[in-house]
Amino acid sequence: QVQLVESAGGSVQAGGSLRLSCAASGYTYSSNCMGWFRQAPGKQREGVARIYRVSSRTYPLYAESVKGRFTISQDNARNTVYLEINNLKPEDTASYYCAASTYSWCSLNEADYAYWGQGTQVTVSS
């Protein structure tokens, strides 16, 4: 059974940085695709980053709204995916979710993902 467990988020001031982690268990594919999504109050969940791995190579993809500030990375040895967020803005306030796909490739569309973490709250104050 696949389990995804996100690290605690936090409350930070605008301009600060935060790194979220997602530890995956029971998820092993020769190629894999994992992503980070967020959902702000009253808004739809949106994909912000995903990382696609084939053998030893990884291919990140970012939503336009976060390019240059968000970095997704993966530690295969620890089965962990990270999301580093720099220059945080109040509009980054949201619940952040880690997700894993069973497809050999995935986009930022949540329909591509079968497994989800419980979510972690990030609050950015101005």
Side-chain angles (χ1 to χ4, degrees):
Q1 186 175 358
V2 176
Q3 279 194 314
L4 304 175
V5 180
E6 296 106 340
S7 60
S11 295
V12 296
Q13 287 194 321
S17 298
L18 199 62
R19 188 174 81 157
L20 305 177
S21 65
C22 171
S25 59
Y27 178 68
T28 52
Y29 290 85
S30 56
S31 63
N32 68 42
C33 216
M34 296 187 71
W36 283 96
F37 290 74
R38 69 183 180 185
Q39 187 168 23
K43 294 190 175 181
Q44 284 192 324
R45 188 157 56 185
E46 63 167 341
V48 295
R50 74 96 167 105
I51 189 162
Y52 166 53
R53 181 177 67 85
V54 178
S55 298
S56 60
R57 299 194 67 175
T58 58
Y59 302 88
L61 176 69
Y62 301 97
E64 285 297 323
S65 59
V66 305
K67 262 184 189 177
R69 297 191 301 117
F70 286 32
T71 302
I72 188 170
S73 61
Q74 187 175 36
D75 183 336
N76 292 331
R78 299 186 178 189
N79 279 344
T80 301
V81 175
Y82 302 95
L83 183 70
E84 184 164 349
I85 310 172
N86 295 313
N87 190 21
L88 277 154
K89 303 177 180 181
E91 51 264 41
D92 294 321
T93 295
S95 292
Y96 283 74
Y97 298 87
C98 171
S101 176
T102 57
Y103 299 152
S104 56
W105 181 90
C106 60
S107 68
L108 292 175
N109 187 328
E110 61 179 289
D112 290 346
Y113 298 82
Y115 304 104
W116 294 84
Q118 79 283 2
T120 187
Q121 179 66 35
V122 173
T123 302
V124 185
S125 58
S126 56

